[in-house]
Every structure is written in structure tokens, then in C-alpha cells.
Amino acid sequence: MEKILTVTNLTKKFGYLTAVKNLSFSIEKGHVYGILGPNGSGKSTTLGIVLNVVNRTNGEFSWFDGNISTHEALKKVGAIIERPNFYPYMSAVQNLKLVCKIKEVSTGKIEEKLKLVGLLERKDSKFKTYSLGMKQRLAIASALLNDPEILILDEPTNGLDPQGIHQIREIIKKIAAQGTTILLASHLLDEVEKVCSHVVILRKGEKLYSGRVDDMLASHGFFELKTADREKLTTLLKENTSFGEIREENGLVTAFLTEKMDAGTFNRWAFDKGIVLSHLVKRKESLEEQFLTLTKNESN
Ligand code: ADP
Ligand code: MG
């Protein structure tokens, strides 16, 4: 796998406060990574360090194969770590032309990027007439003008209304689908669950977990079931060692798996036992529950 970023034993102290503590993780090409943690857990500090705007206290980070300077590497990185700021009386297109000039990239991609973020129809409107969501989308277009290898976003949906949040998440997924690696910091569990394939979870600057979001949901999940013959179903489930806890509520039977099983296999098993299901849904414990379990175990 091609490495985009490697962080090794990174530490940042602000006076006596340790904002990032001995943090290591790596980012590989083509995935969507989340840095997840409550406010103050060191997400922005970590992004600031790898983007060369915050000085590290200890540890290392290296971009790409490690053979180019951070300055050169950052030309292949698109990042939005502050609230979008453009010239209010200039249009989207005029603002992006200026960005191209400053970044020394061609203006040839402006329309393509505006289209990607859904702002093509509003390209000639002044920036000051944009909603916060539109401003954020323009910032994303701006960060993509040089077709970066990786797009870095710090809390990209903060302050937006539900529709604005949805639009930004869809755009992130679209950018990822085109092959751009993404690293986004968020304090929102469901955001990471919805958008990211991989996650680094921080608490007080320390890594609690890093890996695939799927693997983190390592519990085997549960089935939600309905059938006309509920008693027979629950009796059979209790005899089946693939299941642990069985719950019944308002006609819905919830059966927790103790090992891997897909819905099709379960359906066949039930049918062979003479049970016809009118409802069968497989679910996993949400990342939120996992996250709460992880962050709950505080010894101090
Ligand atoms: P997050 O982005 O996860 O909310 P931050 O990285 O912004 O967290 O902050 C981590 C910790 O470092 C917090 O306790 C914060 O108050 C502190 N911190 C961040 N920047 C500075 C700074 N420039 N000076 C002093 N403390 C800071
Ligand atoms: Mg932050």
C-alpha cells in the first residue's frame, strides 16, 4: 500500500499541557480517515503539526515516501483547517482565480471543481451572498484546485444546518470515490461512521484506537426479527449457540450474535426449522456505543 503520511511518536506540549501524546498512525492512499475525539482531544493540533503550522515538541512525521521536504509535500496536500475566508465582494470564480494565482496552479480546473461542490450555477455570485454551507463548499473547491493527493478537513460540518451537513458529507464521499485520500477531524461519531473507512480515536491527546471503522464494530451484531410464531423462534434461538442474549419487545425479537453469521444463512436456518420471518434486519452496534465504551474506561 502506498503511504501518504506517517506519524511516529508525535508529542506536542503547550507549557505543562500535553495536547498530543506519543501519537503514531499512518495514512494510506485511497482511504477516508477520521480523527475522532471530543473537543480538546488534540485533533486540530495534530493536523496543524503535519501541515507545518504548529511546531511539534517531539516525534516525527513524514509525507509520502519520506524523500521530499515537507514544503514540497504540502504542494500535493489540500487542507481546510480554518473557517473559509474569501473576498466578500468578489464572486466565487474571481476568488478561485486569485487562489490559483497565489498557489501558482492553472485556472483550468475552476469550473470542474465548482461543479463538484454544486456551486457552478452560483459561480458569479459574490462570496458575501453565500450561506455558510456554500462558503464551506467553496473552500473545498479551492483546496482541490491543484488536484491534491490528500484532502484534509477540520470539522467540515461544524455550524451547518442538517441539509448543509448532508451536502458536505456527500461531496466528501464523491471526492473519495474519485480516488483522493481524505483525512478529516471530527468530534461527531456518526460523521465518522457515515463518511470514513478508517479512524484514529483520540482522548486527551492519546490514541485509543486506530484501524478500520468496520473492525472497530467488531461485535458480531444482532438480528431484529418478527414472525407469527414468536415463542417457537425464541425457544430455538436460545438453543442455538450462535446467539447470546435474546430480547423481546413490542413483538420484535432481538438476537445478539456470538459469532459471525449473515442474514441469508440465518433465514435459511429459521425456515428449515419451520419459521417464516416477516421481518429480518441485521444490525451492528453503532460506533457511538463502541466509542462510549472506549472513552468510559478512564482510570484518572
Ligand atoms: P481539538 O481540535 O481536538 O478540539 P485541539 O488540538 O484544538 O483539540 O486542542 C488540544 C488541547 O491543546 C486543548 O486542551 C487546547 O486547549 C490546547 N491548545 C490548543 N492550541 C493551543 C495553544 N495555541 N496554546 C495553548 N493551548 C492550546
Ligand atoms: Mg479542533
Side-chain angles (χ1 to χ4, degrees):
M1 255 308 196
E2 209 177 312
K3 284 258 185 337
I4 300 279
L5 173 68
T6 309
V7 169
T8 315
N9 302 126
L10 204 63
T11 295
K12 174 66 188 178
K13 291 183 181 170
F14 293 108
Y16 55 82
L17 178 107
T18 305
V20 177
K21 198 170 176 183
N22 212 19
L23 178 64
S24 301
F25 64 90
S26 63
I27 286 184
E28 286 170 355
K29 192 178 167 71
H31 299 307
V32 181
Y33 289 82
I35 300 187
L36 175 65
N39 288 327
S41 57
K43 305 181 294 296
S44 298
T45 302
T46 303
L47 296 184
I49 292 170
V50 300
L51 293 170
N52 249 7
V53 296
V54 174
N55 291 323
R56 71 209 143 113
T57 306
N58 267 308
E60 310 283 336
F61 65 92
S62 74
W63 283 102
F64 305 106
D65 59 6
N67 290 327
I68 53 172
S69 68
T70 303
H71 181 75
E72 277 307 305
L74 291 179
K75 290 182 181 167
K76 299 199 275 179
V77 175
I80 310 166
I81 53 171
E82 283 167 357
R83 283 260 149 255
N85 216 350
F86 292 95
Y87 287 94
Y89 289 96
M90 278 164 53
S91 71
V93 169
Q94 287 168 333
N95 269 297
L96 292 190
K97 278 186 178 161
L98 192 61
V99 172
C100 287
K101 211 169 182 176
I102 294 164
K103 286 193 184 171
E104 297 178 325
V105 296
S106 122
T107 54
K109 299 249 160 110
I110 290 180
E111 300 244 328
E112 173 195 323
K113 303 307 177 192
L114 283 173
K115 183 160 185 263
L116 177 64
V117 301
L119 287 176
L120 198 54
E121 300 80 60
R122 293 292 305 276
K123 67 177 177 152
D124 294 317
S125 304
K126 289 192 172 88
F127 178 71
K128 66 171 185 132
T129 67
Y130 277 19
S131 68
L132 186 59
M134 293 166 78
K135 288 175 176 171
Q136 187 66 354
R137 285 188 276 143
L138 182 62
I140 293 175
S142 171
L144 292 174
L145 286 169
N146 58 338
D147 282 328
E149 288 272 341
I150 178 170
L151 178 65
I152 297 181
L153 304 157
D154 194 358
E155 309 268 7
T157 60
N158 259 13
L160 304 185
D161 60 18
Q163 195 199 355
I165 290 172
H166 181 73
Q167 283 170 333
I168 295 284
R169 289 179 184 166
E170 290 305 306
I171 289 165
I172 294 171
K173 287 187 209 168
K174 215 157 58 171
I175 296 165
Q178 294 178 353
T180 307
T181 307
I182 292 178
L183 173 60
L184 78 90
S186 178
H187 67 285
L188 301 169
L189 303 150
D190 80 310
E191 182 150 286
V192 168
E193 204 170 14
K194 283 185 176 126
V195 179
C196 302
S197 57
H198 292 68
V199 65
V200 176
I201 299 183
L202 296 184
R203 175 169 48 92
K204 295 180 184 168
E206 275 188 277
K207 184 171 83 178
L208 287 180
Y209 173 88
S210 69
R212 294 188 59 89
V213 171
D214 287 348
D215 290 346
M216 171 155 179
L217 311 171
S219 82
H220 297 288
F222 54 90
F223 289 123
E224 284 180 357
L225 308 162
K226 280 183 188 169
T227 178
D229 199 349
R230 219 163 56 232
E231 240 171 75
K232 184 170 172 188
L233 174 66
T234 50
T235 307
L236 285 167
L237 284 170
K238 282 171 189 164
E239 289 165 7
N240 189 327
T241 54
S242 298
F243 293 95
E245 195 192 350
I246 312 292
R247 279 188 216 154
E248 261 189 275
E249 217 175 69
N250 302 326
L252 187 73
V253 177
T254 307
F256 289 83
L257 283 161
T258 54
E259 60 188 25
K260 228 170 150 172
M261 189 190 295
D262 64 33
T265 306
F266 176 76
N267 201 3
R268 205 173 319 114
W269 173 82
F271 192 78
D272 287 347
K273 301 277 185 193
I275 288 174
V276 178
L277 297 165
S278 58
H279 174 93
L280 165 59
V281 180
K282 185 172 178 187
R283 293 192 200 282
K284 283 187 162 182
E285 205 180 330
S286 74
L287 184 55
E288 179 155 14
E289 291 162 71
Q290 303 265 339
F291 179 74
L292 291 176
T293 313
L294 275 179
T295 50
K296 205 166 51 188
N297 299 328
E298 289 190 50
S299 49
N300 51 334

